[in-house]
Amino acid sequence: MFTENEVGQLLEIPDVRDVVKRLHRTFQEEECEFKEISLHDFLSGMLMAPSIALAGIDGATSLFEELSLNKKARRFSKGGYFLQQDPVVKMVIRLQSRFQHWENRFFIGINKILKLVIPEITAKEDSNSIDPEPEIYLAIMKSSYILIRFLETFFLPEGEELTSKRYISNLERQKIISIGDQLQLSEIESFRNFIKTFVVK
């Protein structure tokens, strides 16, 4: 999962910064409470979008999901917020009630960022390849470090590993696949193998 420093490093990439700045400006205009949110905290909130989508899949967010989202959000924030509300947590709370309004725009923005930094998305697949798809461990070893960090950030609670087996509902599984399609991850080996780690309960 991304750390505060890694979010900052993403913003050091000029093209990524430009994508984030455009959406940041729109967010500040439409969400008056967030006129002072920093670019770093805004990008952190953007990266929470897949997790927010999954938490609200059944129309309500449970206490456990809320705590998990808040824990992940605090990991991203720039600086300590012991005695005041963390701006990324505050943004996540707002997005939970306004997600339909922002979901598509955030996923489009994230997709642009992924295209800029993940080589697997832009690489042309060898259509003549007949090699069998590797297991999840090998797929991860062959993947770029930043792709693995994005997958962990988007789809897992803090501390979980991509290779672990996990039990989820069919609705959750379909939503993960849908998010993968939106972000153009579906044709990437490690994402396809990651989907296989889920067992529908």
Side-chain angles (χ1 to χ4, degrees), residues 11-24:
L11 284 172
E12 293 296 316
I13 303 170
D15 289 342
V16 170
R17 191 176 183 87
D18 287 345
V19 170
V20 178
K21 281 176 73 173
R22 285 194 293 271
L23 201 49
H24 177 248

Side-chain angles (χ1 to χ4, degrees), residues 52-92:
I52 295 168
L54 287 168
I57 189 67
D58 56 1
T61 305
S62 70
L63 177 60
F64 176 78
E65 289 169 328
E66 188 79 41
L67 292 172
S68 180
L69 286 174
N70 289 347
K71 184 179 180 183
K72 186 181 283 190
R74 283 194 298 272
R75 180 180 172 95
F76 290 139
S77 296
K78 193 171 181 61
Y81 289 90
F82 180 65
L83 296 176
Q84 62 189 53
Q85 189 175 37
D86 186 306
V88 184
V89 172
K90 186 177 176 182
M91 182 175 167
V92 167

Side-chain angles (χ1 to χ4, degrees), residues 19-36:
V19 170
V20 178
K21 281 176 73 173
R22 285 194 293 271
L23 201 49
H24 177 248
R25 192 177 306 117
T26 303
F27 191 78
Q28 288 176 309
E29 290 169 357
E30 296 187 27
E31 304 289 346
C32 298
E33 279 182 60
F34 294 90
K35 289 191 179 297
E36 303 302 318

Side-chain angles (χ1 to χ4, degrees), residues 31-183:
E31 304 289 346
C32 298
E33 279 182 60
F34 294 90
K35 289 191 179 297
E36 303 302 318
I37 191 168
S38 70
L39 206 61
H40 181 284
D41 288 335
F42 176 73
L43 174 56
S44 299
M46 277 182 68
L47 295 175
M48 292 288 296
S51 298
I52 295 168
L54 287 168
I57 189 67
D58 56 1
T61 305
S62 70
L63 177 60
F64 176 78
E65 289 169 328
E66 188 79 41
L67 292 172
S68 180
L69 286 174
N70 289 347
K71 184 179 180 183
K72 186 181 283 190
R74 283 194 298 272
R75 180 180 172 95
F76 290 139
S77 296
K78 193 171 181 61
Y81 289 90
F82 180 65
L83 296 176
Q84 62 189 53
Q85 189 175 37
D86 186 306
V88 184
V89 172
K90 186 177 176 182
M91 182 175 167
V92 167
I93 292 170
R94 171 57 64 88
L95 288 175
Q96 286 176 269
S97 62
R98 297 262 293 157
F99 199 61
Q100 285 188 331
H101 182 75
W102 288 105
E103 180 176 15
N104 190 52
R105 284 187 278 184
F106 273 25
F107 281 146
I108 289 172
I110 292 170
N111 182 238
K112 289 178 180 177
I113 293 170
L114 296 182
K115 285 180 177 178
L116 289 167
V117 299
I118 296 180
E120 289 94 331
I121 287 182
T122 53
K124 293 182 179 179
E125 291 205 331
D126 181 1
S127 58
N128 296 319
S129 175
I130 57 172
D131 292 337
E133 193 167 279
E135 295 298 323
I136 182 69
Y137 296 99
L138 183 56
I140 287 174
M141 288 173 66
K142 291 169 60 182
S143 297
S144 62
Y145 173 80
I146 195 167
L147 170 61
I148 299 308
R149 299 299 264 181
F150 272 114
L151 293 180
E152 290 171 342
T153 299
F154 291 158
F155 301 113
L156 297 181
E158 188 179 0
E160 284 197 18
E161 296 183 359
L162 286 177
T163 55
S164 301
K165 183 181 289 187
R166 46 192 73 76
Y167 295 87
I168 60 173
S169 69
N170 188 54
L171 194 60
E172 289 173 300
R173 186 178 185 277
Q174 291 306 314
K175 184 63 175 179
I176 291 171
I177 291 171
S178 172
I179 293 170
D181 289 340
Q182 287 175 273
L183 300 180

